[in-house]
Amino acid sequence: MVDRRTYEFEGDRPTIDETAQVSREATLVGDVEIGADASVWPGVVLRGDVDPVRIGRGTHVGDNATIHASHLGDQVMVGHGAILNETTVEDRALVGFNATTNSDVTIGSGSIVAAGTVVPDSYDIPPESFVRGVPAEITPLEKTGIDAEAILEEYSSGEYTNLAQRHEELFE
């Protein structure tokens, strides 16, 4: 099947690692790179026009998320409906359902951004933080009682990669 939702922009065309699973119902525009064992689910928009979009190894981007001019490290989880604009997400971080990050945001490794959180422009979230609220408030994970490693392991292990591989028709 020809992917009609992959578009060149000003000479840049998306590249997808052969082991990545990208839904035919995702839209990829311009300078987009998707790493090994990543998954990009239906309705996702990856738009690399003003700056590149990089999706790291083993990173999973949930249904209807929009990623613009952003870099996602390895084993990152992005929940359904999240919006990331000009954001860097370091390795093994989790961005919850319908969370929004505005421009010039960095999410440190091992951090969790709760569902529905709104992160204002120019936030620098330290590694191993828990972020929640509108606007976002940052709390060190050690003060929350949340076992982030268990949560990240549950979602960023091979389980999501395996799930994507089982959806043969969705990712053909």
Side-chain angles (χ1 to χ4, degrees):
M1 167 182 259
V2 174
D3 186 354
R4 291 189 172 84
R5 295 180 186 231
T6 301
Y7 303 98
E8 181 178 324
F9 180 76
E10 295 182 347
D12 289 316
R13 177 165 285 291
T15 58
I16 303 167
D17 185 274
E18 63 185 30
T19 63
Q21 300 287 326
V22 178
S23 170
R24 64 176 179 264
E25 297 173 5
T27 301
L28 285 59
V29 179
D31 189 359
V32 173
E33 289 181 12
I34 301 174
D37 299 319
S39 66
V40 176
W41 291 77
V44 168
V45 175
L46 304 177
R47 190 158 56 90
D49 50 8
V50 298
D51 272 317
V53 170
R54 300 291 181 258
I55 307 296
R57 177 186 48 78
T59 289
H60 305 289
V61 181
D63 305 66
N64 299 313
T66 299
I67 313 293
H68 179 241
S70 297
H71 292 240
L72 281 58
D74 294 339
Q75 295 183 308
V76 167
M77 296 296 299
V78 176
H80 310 302
I83 299 171
L84 282 67
N85 184 62
E86 298 177 13
T87 298
T88 298
V89 182
E90 295 177 352
D91 297 348
R92 294 186 57 77
L94 187 148
V95 178
F97 298 152
N98 296 310
T100 300
T101 64
N102 292 322
S103 299
D104 194 29
V105 170
T106 298
I107 299 170
S109 63
S111 291
I112 296 176
V113 178
T117 297
V118 176
V119 181
D121 288 346
S122 303
Y123 258 48
D124 188 10
I125 298 167
E128 299 181 12
S129 294
F130 179 63
V131 184
R132 65 175 173 220
V134 179
E137 293 181 17
I138 301 169
T139 304
L141 274 170
E142 63 192 31
K143 293 183 178 182
T144 66
I146 296 171
D147 186 350
E149 190 59 36
I151 293 169
L152 293 169
E153 187 59 33
E154 179 179 348
Y155 291 103
S156 69
S157 68
E159 294 301 317
Y160 233 79
T161 301
N162 179 284
L163 181 61
Q165 292 169 345
R166 292 178 8 230
H167 277 283
E168 292 179 30
E169 290 184 30
L170 190 60
F171 294 103
E172 67 180 357

PDB file of all heavy atoms in Angstrom, residues 111-139:
ATOM      1  N   SER A 111      11.167  11.604  33.562  1.00  0.00           N
ATOM      2  CA  SER A 111      10.086  12.431  34.100  1.00  0.00           C
ATOM      3  C   SER A 111       8.730  11.953  33.611  1.00  0.00           C
ATOM      4  O   SER A 111       8.619  11.280  32.584  1.00  0.00           O
ATOM      5  CB  SER A 111      10.277  13.894  33.697  1.00  0.00           C
ATOM      6  OG  SER A 111      11.388  14.439  34.369  1.00  0.00           O
ATOM      7  N   ILE A 112       7.697  12.345  34.346  1.00  0.00           N
ATOM      8  CA  ILE A 112       6.317  12.049  33.971  1.00  0.00           C
ATOM      9  C   ILE A 112       5.547  13.364  33.935  1.00  0.00           C
ATOM     10  O   ILE A 112       5.539  14.119  34.916  1.00  0.00           O
ATOM     11  CB  ILE A 112       5.650  11.090  34.978  1.00  0.00           C
ATOM     12  CG1 ILE A 112       6.365   9.738  34.954  1.00  0.00           C
ATOM     13  CG2 ILE A 112       4.161  10.943  34.674  1.00  0.00           C
ATOM     14  CD1 ILE A 112       5.838   8.757  35.981  1.00  0.00           C
ATOM     15  N   VAL A 113       4.921  13.625  32.795  1.00  0.00           N
ATOM     16  CA  VAL A 113       4.023  14.769  32.652  1.00  0.00           C
ATOM     17  C   VAL A 113       2.611  14.195  32.682  1.00  0.00           C
ATOM     18  O   VAL A 113       2.234  13.409  31.824  1.00  0.00           O
ATOM     19  CB  VAL A 113       4.283  15.527  31.337  1.00  0.00           C
ATOM     20  CG1 VAL A 113       3.298  16.681  31.173  1.00  0.00           C
ATOM     21  CG2 VAL A 113       5.727  16.040  31.282  1.00  0.00           C
ATOM     22  N   ALA A 114       1.836  14.576  33.689  1.00  0.00           N
ATOM     23  CA  ALA A 114       0.512  14.003  33.901  1.00  0.00           C
ATOM     24  C   ALA A 114      -0.454  14.371  32.774  1.00  0.00           C
ATOM     25  O   ALA A 114      -0.292  15.395  32.096  1.00  0.00           O
ATOM     26  CB  ALA A 114      -0.050  14.483  35.237  1.00  0.00           C
ATOM     27  N   ALA A 115      -1.476  13.534  32.608  1.00  0.00           N
ATOM     28  CA  ALA A 115      -2.519  13.781  31.619  1.00  0.00           C
ATOM     29  C   ALA A 115      -3.134  15.161  31.843  1.00  0.00           C
ATOM     30  O   ALA A 115      -3.354  15.586  32.973  1.00  0.00           O
ATOM     31  CB  ALA A 115      -3.589  12.701  31.728  1.00  0.00           C
ATOM     32  N   GLY A 116      -3.367  15.878  30.740  1.00  0.00           N
ATOM     33  CA  GLY A 116      -4.025  17.173  30.797  1.00  0.00           C
ATOM     34  C   GLY A 116      -3.170  18.337  31.235  1.00  0.00           C
ATOM     35  O   GLY A 116      -3.641  19.473  31.276  1.00  0.00           O
ATOM     36  N   THR A 117      -1.911  18.104  31.520  1.00  0.00           N
ATOM     37  CA  THR A 117      -1.008  19.163  31.971  1.00  0.00           C
ATOM     38  C   THR A 117      -0.739  20.144  30.826  1.00  0.00           C
ATOM     39  O   THR A 117      -0.635  19.748  29.673  1.00  0.00           O
ATOM     40  CB  THR A 117       0.321  18.558  32.461  1.00  0.00           C
ATOM     41  OG1 THR A 117       0.038  17.739  33.590  1.00  0.00           O
ATOM     42  CG2 THR A 117       1.337  19.614  32.839  1.00  0.00           C
ATOM     43  N   VAL A 118      -0.590  21.414  31.167  1.00  0.00           N
ATOM     44  CA  VAL A 118      -0.188  22.438  30.200  1.00  0.00           C
ATOM     45  C   VAL A 118       1.140  23.017  30.673  1.00  0.00           C
ATOM     46  O   VAL A 118       1.219  23.620  31.743  1.00  0.00           O
ATOM     47  CB  VAL A 118      -1.242  23.550  30.053  1.00  0.00           C
ATOM     48  CG1 VAL A 118      -0.739  24.637  29.102  1.00  0.00           C
ATOM     49  CG2 VAL A 118      -2.566  22.968  29.547  1.00  0.00           C
ATOM     50  N   VAL A 119       2.173  22.820  29.867  1.00  0.00           N
ATOM     51  CA  VAL A 119       3.520  23.295  30.192  1.00  0.00           C
ATOM     52  C   VAL A 119       3.773  24.577  29.402  1.00  0.00           C
ATOM     53  O   VAL A 119       3.806  24.549  28.168  1.00  0.00           O
ATOM     54  CB  VAL A 119       4.592  22.235  29.855  1.00  0.00           C
ATOM     55  CG1 VAL A 119       5.976  22.743  30.238  1.00  0.00           C
ATOM     56  CG2 VAL A 119       4.289  20.910  30.552  1.00  0.00           C
ATOM     57  N   PRO A 120       3.931  25.725  30.093  1.00  0.00           N
ATOM     58  CA  PRO A 120       4.145  27.007  29.405  1.00  0.00           C
ATOM     59  C   PRO A 120       5.483  27.072  28.663  1.00  0.00           C
ATOM     60  O   PRO A 120       6.371  26.238  28.864  1.00  0.00           O
ATOM     61  CB  PRO A 120       4.127  28.030  30.544  1.00  0.00           C
ATOM     62  CG  PRO A 120       3.483  27.347  31.693  1.00  0.00           C
ATOM     63  CD  PRO A 120       3.826  25.890  31.535  1.00  0.00           C
ATOM     64  N   ASP A 121       5.632  28.094  27.846  1.00  0.00           N
ATOM     65  CA  ASP A 121       6.862  28.342  27.103  1.00  0.00           C
ATOM     66  C   ASP A 121       8.076  28.345  28.029  1.00  0.00           C
ATOM     67  O   ASP A 121       8.010  28.802  29.180  1.00  0.00           O
ATOM     68  CB  ASP A 121       6.823  29.717  26.423  1.00  0.00           C
ATOM     69  CG  ASP A 121       5.880  29.781  25.242  1.00  0.00           C
ATOM     70  OD1 ASP A 121       5.438  28.726  24.761  1.00  0.00           O
ATOM     71  OD2 ASP A 121       5.581  30.905  24.801  1.00  0.00           O
ATOM     72  N   SER A 122       9.180  27.836  27.500  1.00  0.00           N
ATOM     73  CA  SER A 122      10.512  27.946  28.103  1.00  0.00           C
ATOM     74  C   SER A 122      10.671  27.235  29.449  1.00  0.00           C
ATOM     75  O   SER A 122      11.543  27.601  30.225  1.00  0.00           O
ATOM     76  CB  SER A 122      10.918  29.420  28.244  1.00  0.00           C
ATOM     77  OG  SER A 122      10.871  30.053  26.969  1.00  0.00           O
ATOM     78  N   TYR A 123       9.876  26.213  29.715  1.00  0.00           N
ATOM     79  CA  TYR A 123      10.050  25.418  30.935  1.00  0.00           C
ATOM     80  C   TYR A 123      11.188  24.433  30.729  1.00  0.00           C
ATOM     81  O   TYR A 123      11.303  23.818  29.683  1.00  0.00           O
ATOM     82  CB  TYR A 123       8.783  24.629  31.256  1.00  0.00           C
ATOM     83  CG  TYR A 123       7.928  25.216  32.360  1.00  0.00           C
ATOM     84  CD1 TYR A 123       7.587  26.553  32.376  1.00  0.00           C
ATOM     85  CD2 TYR A 123       7.451  24.406  33.382  1.00  0.00           C
ATOM     86  CE1 TYR A 123       6.793  27.071  33.381  1.00  0.00           C
ATOM     87  CE2 TYR A 123       6.646  24.921  34.389  1.00  0.00           C
ATOM     88  CZ  TYR A 123       6.327  26.259  34.380  1.00  0.00           C
ATOM     89  OH  TYR A 123       5.545  26.771  35.372  1.00  0.00           O
ATOM     90  N   ASP A 124      12.002  24.276  31.746  1.00  0.00           N
ATOM     91  CA  ASP A 124      13.054  23.275  31.761  1.00  0.00           C
ATOM     92  C   ASP A 124      12.742  22.337  32.916  1.00  0.00           C
ATOM     93  O   ASP A 124      12.968  22.675  34.078  1.00  0.00           O
ATOM     94  CB  ASP A 124      14.422  23.940  31.938  1.00  0.00           C
ATOM     95  CG  ASP A 124      15.567  22.969  31.777  1.00  0.00           C
ATOM     96  OD1 ASP A 124      15.334  21.818  31.340  1.00  0.00           O
ATOM     97  OD2 ASP A 124      16.704  23.355  32.096  1.00  0.00           O
ATOM     98  N   ILE A 125      12.189  21.192  32.605  1.00  0.00           N
ATOM     99  CA  ILE A 125      11.776  20.228  33.618  1.00  0.00           C
ATOM    100  C   ILE A 125      12.967  19.328  33.935  1.00  0.00           C
ATOM    101  O   ILE A 125      13.475  18.637  33.051  1.00  0.00           O
ATOM    102  CB  ILE A 125      10.570  19.412  33.121  1.00  0.00           C
ATOM    103  CG1 ILE A 125       9.390  20.367  32.871  1.00  0.00           C
ATOM    104  CG2 ILE A 125      10.216  18.311  34.111  1.00  0.00           C
ATOM    105  CD1 ILE A 125       8.256  19.754  32.093  1.00  0.00           C
ATOM    106  N   PRO A 126      13.434  19.323  35.176  1.00  0.00           N
ATOM    107  CA  PRO A 126      14.601  18.507  35.527  1.00  0.00           C
ATOM    108  C   PRO A 126      14.315  17.006  35.374  1.00  0.00           C
ATOM    109  O   PRO A 126      13.156  16.581  35.425  1.00  0.00           O
ATOM    110  CB  PRO A 126      14.850  18.845  36.996  1.00  0.00           C
ATOM    111  CG  PRO A 126      14.092  20.088  37.270  1.00  0.00           C
ATOM    112  CD  PRO A 126      12.938  20.103  36.311  1.00  0.00           C
ATOM    113  N   PRO A 127      15.352  16.197  35.213  1.00  0.00           N
ATOM    114  CA  PRO A 127      15.166  14.744  35.176  1.00  0.00           C
ATOM    115  C   PRO A 127      14.434  14.267  36.430  1.00  0.00           C
ATOM    116  O   PRO A 127      14.543  14.872  37.506  1.00  0.00           O
ATOM    117  CB  PRO A 127      16.589  14.195  35.134  1.00  0.00           C
ATOM    118  CG  PRO A 127      17.384  15.298  34.516  1.00  0.00           C
ATOM    119  CD  PRO A 127      16.761  16.570  35.038  1.00  0.00           C
ATOM    120  N   GLU A 128      13.698  13.164  36.260  1.00  0.00           N
ATOM    121  CA  GLU A 128      13.000  12.490  37.354  1.00  0.00           C
ATOM    122  C   GLU A 128      12.074  13.423  38.122  1.00  0.00           C
ATOM    123  O   GLU A 128      12.087  13.482  39.348  1.00  0.00           O
ATOM    124  CB  GLU A 128      14.001  11.790  38.261  1.00  0.00           C
ATOM    125  CG  GLU A 128      14.793  10.743  37.503  1.00  0.00           C
ATOM    126  CD  GLU A 128      15.791  10.006  38.355  1.00  0.00           C
ATOM    127  OE1 GLU A 128      15.755  10.120  39.592  1.00  0.00           O
ATOM    128  OE2 GLU A 128      16.622   9.290  37.761  1.00  0.00           O
ATOM    129  N   SER A 129      11.245  14.135  37.339  1.00  0.00           N
ATOM    130  CA  SER A 129      10.252  15.032  37.920  1.00  0.00           C
ATOM    131  C   SER A 129       8.848  14.542  37.590  1.00  0.00           C
ATOM    132  O   SER A 129       8.638  13.827  36.610  1.00  0.00           O
ATOM    133  CB  SER A 129      10.408  16.450  37.349  1.00  0.00           C
ATOM    134  OG  SER A 129      11.624  17.030  37.746  1.00  0.00           O
ATOM    135  N   PHE A 130       7.898  14.965  38.410  1.00  0.00           N
ATOM    136  CA  PHE A 130       6.479  14.743  38.145  1.00  0.00           C
ATOM    137  C   PHE A 130       5.880  16.117  37.901  1.00  0.00           C
ATOM    138  O   PHE A 130       6.058  17.036  38.713  1.00  0.00           O
ATOM    139  CB  PHE A 130       5.803  14.059  39.343  1.00  0.00           C
ATOM    140  CG  PHE A 130       4.338  13.835  39.139  1.00  0.00           C
ATOM    141  CD1 PHE A 130       3.878  13.012  38.126  1.00  0.00           C
ATOM    142  CD2 PHE A 130       3.406  14.446  39.967  1.00  0.00           C
ATOM    143  CE1 PHE A 130       2.521  12.793  37.934  1.00  0.00           C
ATOM    144  CE2 PHE A 130       2.043  14.232  39.786  1.00  0.00           C
ATOM    145  CZ  PHE A 130       1.605  13.407  38.765  1.00  0.00           C
ATOM    146  N   VAL A 131       5.199  16.252  36.773  1.00  0.00           N
ATOM    147  CA  VAL A 131       4.675  17.545  36.355  1.00  0.00           C
ATOM    148  C   VAL A 131       3.173  17.406  36.174  1.00  0.00           C
ATOM    149  O   VAL A 131       2.703  16.482  35.502  1.00  0.00           O
ATOM    150  CB  VAL A 131       5.334  17.995  35.028  1.00  0.00           C
ATOM    151  CG1 VAL A 131       4.879  19.379  34.635  1.00  0.00           C
ATOM    152  CG2 VAL A 131       6.854  17.937  35.138  1.00  0.00           C
ATOM    153  N   ARG A 132       2.418  18.353  36.764  1.00  0.00           N
ATOM    154  CA  ARG A 132       0.964  18.292  36.618  1.00  0.00           C
ATOM    155  C   ARG A 132       0.383  19.693  36.772  1.00  0.00           C
ATOM    156  O   ARG A 132       0.993  20.580  37.365  1.00  0.00           O
ATOM    157  CB  ARG A 132       0.364  17.370  37.661  1.00  0.00           C
ATOM    158  CG  ARG A 132       0.547  17.882  39.054  1.00  0.00           C
ATOM    159  CD  ARG A 132      -0.149  17.019  40.073  1.00  0.00           C
ATOM    160  NE  ARG A 132       0.247  17.512  41.387  1.00  0.00           N
ATOM    161  CZ  ARG A 132       0.513  16.751  42.409  1.00  0.00           C
ATOM    162  NH1 ARG A 132       0.432  15.455  42.295  1.00  0.00           N
ATOM    163  NH2 ARG A 132       0.855  17.278  43.558  1.00  0.00           N
ATOM    164  N   GLY A 133      -0.815  19.857  36.230  1.00  0.00           N
ATOM    165  CA  GLY A 133      -1.567  21.086  36.439  1.00  0.00           C
ATOM    166  C   GLY A 133      -1.596  22.012  35.244  1.00  0.00           C
ATOM    167  O   GLY A 133      -0.959  21.794  34.222  1.00  0.00           O
ATOM    168  N   VAL A 134      -2.413  23.068  35.421  1.00  0.00           N
ATOM    169  CA  VAL A 134      -2.586  24.104  34.412  1.00  0.00           C
ATOM    170  C   VAL A 134      -2.466  25.440  35.134  1.00  0.00           C
ATOM    171  O   VAL A 134      -3.384  25.821  35.860  1.00  0.00           O
ATOM    172  CB  VAL A 134      -3.965  23.990  33.719  1.00  0.00           C
ATOM    173  CG1 VAL A 134      -4.136  25.086  32.681  1.00  0.00           C
ATOM    174  CG2 VAL A 134      -4.157  22.613  33.105  1.00  0.00           C
ATOM    175  N   PRO A 135      -1.346  26.144  35.057  1.00  0.00           N
ATOM    176  CA  PRO A 135      -0.119  25.735  34.382  1.00  0.00           C
ATOM    177  C   PRO A 135       0.635  24.670  35.191  1.00  0.00           C
ATOM    178  O   PRO A 135       0.353  24.439  36.364  1.00  0.00           O
ATOM    179  CB  PRO A 135       0.694  27.031  34.308  1.00  0.00           C
ATOM    180  CG  PRO A 135       0.256  27.818  35.503  1.00  0.00           C
ATOM    181  CD  PRO A 135      -1.209  27.469  35.698  1.00  0.00           C
ATOM    182  N   ALA A 136       1.601  24.082  34.545  1.00  0.00           N
ATOM    183  CA  ALA A 136       2.355  22.976  35.124  1.00  0.00           C
ATOM    184  C   ALA A 136       3.087  23.366  36.395  1.00  0.00           C
ATOM    185  O   ALA A 136       3.632  24.463  36.508  1.00  0.00           O
ATOM    186  CB  ALA A 136       3.372  22.467  34.108  1.00  0.00           C
ATOM    187  N   GLU A 137       3.072  22.442  37.352  1.00  0.00           N
ATOM    188  CA  GLU A 137       3.879  22.554  38.556  1.00  0.00           C
ATOM    189  C   GLU A 137       4.796  21.344  38.604  1.00  0.00           C
ATOM    190  O   GLU A 137       4.362  20.220  38.325  1.00  0.00           O
ATOM    191  CB  GLU A 137       2.996  22.586  39.803  1.00  0.00           C
ATOM    192  CG  GLU A 137       2.141  23.828  39.898  1.00  0.00           C
ATOM    193  CD  GLU A 137       1.301  23.849  41.156  1.00  0.00           C
ATOM    194  OE1 GLU A 137       1.593  23.083  42.095  1.00  0.00           O
ATOM    195  OE2 GLU A 137       0.341  24.627  41.185  1.00  0.00           O
ATOM    196  N   ILE A 138       6.045  21.570  38.983  1.00  0.00           N
ATOM    197  CA  ILE A 138       7.055  20.514  38.983  1.00  0.00           C
ATOM    198  C   ILE A 138       7.315  20.053  40.412  1.00  0.00           C
ATOM    199  O   ILE A 138       7.536  20.869  41.310  1.00  0.00           O
ATOM    200  CB  ILE A 138       8.368  21.025  38.351  1.00  0.00           C
ATOM    201  CG1 ILE A 138       8.130  21.505  36.919  1.00  0.00           C
ATOM    202  CG2 ILE A 138       9.445  19.951  38.407  1.00  0.00           C
ATOM    203  CD1 ILE A 138       9.287  22.268  36.310  1.00  0.00           C
ATOM    204  N   THR A 139       7.303  18.728  40.599  1.00  0.00           N
ATOM    205  CA  THR A 139       7.627  18.116  41.886  1.00  0.00           C
ATOM    206  C   THR A 139       8.660  17.025  41.640  1.00  0.00           C
ATOM    207  O   THR A 139       8.472  16.211  40.728  1.00  0.00           O
ATOM    208  CB  THR A 139       6.370  17.469  42.514  1.00  0.00           C
ATOM    209  OG1 THR A 139       5.351  18.457  42.625  1.00  0.00           O
ATOM    210  CG2 THR A 139       6.672  16.876  43.876  1.00  0.00           C
TER     211      THR A 139
END
